[in-house]
């Protein structure tokens, strides 16, 4: 039986390399879903030029799946509606990605719902399989691939992931309808494992590499990988970003990726100014994600940027203990003063009323 695949136009978008924000969750003051602002977030990402949007992922808060909140379906439904809303997309295709979590039974249920709602692919987290063998993980991935095209996800251990060796990624790359891999181990060695595995599997033209390394975004997107394989030399690059960092200041992220694509296509040397921007974006991400406190304030940090712009009404999380770390707000002030080039406040200000209006 043939495995499910996205449409050719969606595959073309993925392979081109696009900005894919990982969507946050908008809540009311009593921690219920704020549908108006949730829709505004999706509209913002579309208007900013994102090629795709990821829903029900880490930044959307894994707690949306808990019975007391029961927000997994509503968030996916709103995303499916807004990402195909012709009033805001103008008919432009947007890659719709749903986060898929849990053990095999839960993951299949989530993948079935995502397919029912028209999502193009599932971002497959293996965080729930911490004690599984490599054989068990590959079997799990193959079962999910029978339901929905999949995007691999190397999640850093600091926020719930596990070390996934080269041998795992080499076997994972053989799954026929893996269309991309998001590499987010925040580790250069482990990122290279994934790139080499895809090259060795001969899938470099089928599986598009996306950075999830929010600590090294621009360098990841600029770096050529030349891999010596049994089939000869292979040249690969990381073509896009599926990132929590891209869910803030998204318009500028799109402009940045366009500039990087143009640099790569033109050939020649990378300007020193672009390497400087890499360091500056890493500095910004360290504050937004609260790296100094082991990422404790990561989601509130994202929320605070969006609140300052008016896209969110507050920085509340479903978990009341998830708040900004001491000093994080002041550090965000520093980032906003230091790096105006990466901020899209004027773009948001000019369009916010439309996005919130309906």
């Amino acid at each position: 039986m043939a495995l499910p695949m996205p449409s050719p136009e969606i595959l073309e978008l993925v392979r081109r390399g696009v900005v894919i924000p990982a969507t946050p969750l908008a809540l009311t003051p009593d921690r219920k879903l704020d549908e108006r602002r949730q829709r505004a977030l999706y509209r913002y990402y579309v208007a900013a030029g994102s090629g795709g949007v990821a829903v029900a992922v880490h930044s959307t808060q894994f707690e949306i799946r808990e019975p007391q909140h029961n927000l997994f379906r509503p968030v996916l439904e709103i995303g499916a509606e807004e990402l195909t809303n012709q009033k805001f997309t103008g008919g432009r295709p947007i890659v719709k990605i749903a986060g898929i979590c849990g053990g095999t039974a839960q993951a299949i249920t989530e993948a079935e719902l995502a397919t029912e709602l028209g999502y193009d692919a599932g971002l497959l987290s293996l965080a729930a399989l911490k004690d599984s063998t490599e054989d068990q993980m590959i079997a799990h991935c193959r079962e999910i691939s029978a339901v929905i095209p999949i995007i691999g996800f190397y999640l850093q251990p600091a926020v719930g992931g596990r070390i996934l060796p080269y041998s795992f990624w080499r076997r994972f790359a053989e799954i026929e309808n893996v269309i991309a891999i998001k590499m987010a181990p925040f580790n250069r060695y482990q990122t290279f494992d994934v790139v080499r595995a895809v090259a060795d599997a001969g899938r470099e033209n089928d599986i598009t590499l996306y950075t999830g390394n929010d600590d090294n975004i621009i360098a990841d997107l600029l770096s050529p990988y030349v891999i010596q394989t049994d089939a000869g030399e292979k040249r690969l690059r990381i073509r896009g970003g599926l990132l929590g960092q891209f869910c803030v200041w998204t318009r500028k992220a799109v402009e940045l990726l366009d500039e990087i694509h143009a640099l790569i296509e033109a050939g020649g040397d990378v300007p020193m100014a672009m390497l400087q921007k890499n360091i500056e974006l890493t500095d910004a991400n360290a504050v937004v994600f609260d790296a100094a406190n082991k990422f404790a304030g990561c989601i509130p940090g994202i929320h605070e940027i969006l609140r300052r712009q008016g896209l969110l009404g507050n920085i509340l999380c479903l978990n009341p203990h998830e708040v900004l770390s001491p000093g994080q707000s002041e550090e965000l002030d520093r980032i906003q003063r230091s790096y105006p080039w990466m901020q899209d406040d004027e773009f948001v200000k000019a369009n916010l009323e439309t996005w919130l209006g309906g």
Side-chain angles (χ1 to χ4, degrees):
M1 185 177 70
L3 295 175
M5 286 291 288
S7 69
E9 64 179 357
I10 292 296
L11 266 181
E12 181 185 350
L13 264 177
V14 172
R15 288 171 179 168
R16 180 191 312 162
V18 293
V19 163
I20 303 177
T23 313
L25 181 69
L27 295 176
T28 63
D30 58 352
R31 288 190 166 84
K32 305 297 182 185
L33 177 64
D34 187 335
E35 182 174 332
R36 174 169 168 259
R37 290 188 181 275
Q38 193 69 41
R39 291 185 184 277
L41 282 173
Y42 294 129
R43 294 167 185 174
Y44 162 52
Y45 297 137
V46 169
S50 300
V53 177
V55 183
V57 290
H58 172 249
S59 56
T60 326
Q61 301 174 50
F62 293 129
E63 290 90 344
I64 62 173
R65 294 164 169 83
E66 294 175 358
Q68 67 268 34
H69 303 302
N70 197 28
L71 289 176
F72 183 69
R73 175 185 278 271
V75 168
L76 283 180
E77 286 178 337
I78 294 170
E81 291 169 11
E82 291 301 332
L83 299 176
T84 54
N85 184 340
Q86 296 244 353
K87 177 180 176 182
F88 293 100
T89 67
R92 179 170 69 90
I94 307 291
V95 184
K96 301 184 296 299
I97 299 167
I100 307 295
C101 297
T104 303
Q106 177 184 334
I108 287 174
T109 299
E110 293 189 1
E112 288 173 342
L113 175 60
T115 299
E116 172 195 327
L117 295 175
Y119 280 79
D120 300 298
L123 180 66
L124 185 56
S125 169
L126 300 176
L129 280 67
K130 284 186 180 298
D131 299 320
S132 299
T133 65
E134 187 174 299
D135 286 345
Q136 290 169 332
M137 288 191 294
I138 292 295
H140 171 85
C141 295
R142 286 196 172 277
E143 287 202 53
I144 310 311
S145 76
V147 181
I148 194 169
I150 56 177
I151 296 174
F153 185 12
Y154 200 160
L155 175 66
Q156 62 163 319
V159 290
R162 59 174 286 180
I163 301 298
L164 296 167
Y166 165 86
S167 58
F168 167 81
W169 291 110
R170 177 64 178 77
R171 295 172 67 185
F172 180 84
E174 294 175 355
I175 299 173
E176 295 87 338
N177 64 340
V178 171
I179 63 169
I181 298 174
K182 167 181 170 159
M183 300 174 292
F186 284 43
N187 180 291
R188 306 287 77 76
Y189 303 125
Q190 292 157 5
T191 297
F192 189 82
D193 283 342
V194 180
V195 180
R196 184 166 68 93
V198 170
D200 285 344
R203 298 296 308 285
E204 65 276 3
N205 295 321
D206 305 309
I207 297 174
T208 306
L209 300 172
Y210 275 72
T211 183
N213 291 319
D214 301 75
D215 65 337
N216 197 51
I217 296 169
I218 295 175
D220 269 3
L221 292 167
L222 285 170
S223 299
Y225 287 81
V226 181
I227 312 291
Q228 305 301 326
T229 75
D230 291 341
E233 183 178 277
K234 304 279 184 74
R235 292 179 174 268
L236 297 82
R237 60 174 284 229
I238 299 169
R239 301 198 64 87
L242 200 173
L243 294 154
Q245 179 64 42
F246 280 178
C247 72
V248 300
W249 305 321
T250 309
R251 180 64 180 168
K252 292 298 183 179
V254 170
E255 293 173 1
L256 176 66
L257 183 58
D258 286 344
E259 185 180 355
I260 290 170
H261 281 324
L263 276 173
I264 297 293
E265 289 163 11
D269 296 332
V270 173
M272 290 297 292
M274 189 61 77
L275 299 180
Q276 178 182 329
K277 283 185 175 181
N278 182 60
I279 299 303
E280 293 174 353
L281 187 53
T282 297
D283 182 26
N285 179 260
V287 175
V288 175
F289 275 33
D290 195 26
N293 295 290
K294 299 181 179 178
F295 306 99
C298 171
I299 294 175
I302 290 169
H303 288 183
E304 175 61 9
I305 295 295
L306 296 170
R307 185 200 65 78
R308 292 181 183 192
Q309 292 183 308
L311 282 155
L312 291 183
N314 56 61
I315 66 167
L316 296 176
C317 295
L318 291 172
N319 178 353
H321 300 294
E322 209 162 349
V323 296
L324 289 175
S325 290
Q328 190 177 358
S329 180
E330 290 77 11
E331 275 288 272
L332 288 170
D333 294 340
R334 176 183 68 82
I335 291 300
Q336 292 192 283
R337 288 193 306 270
S338 299
Y339 310 127
W341 66 266
M342 70 178 68
Q343 299 165 50
D344 65 355
D345 293 6
E346 291 304 313
F347 171 71
V348 173
K349 183 178 178 181
N351 293 281
L352 184 59
E353 188 175 336
T354 299
W355 299 332
L356 287 169

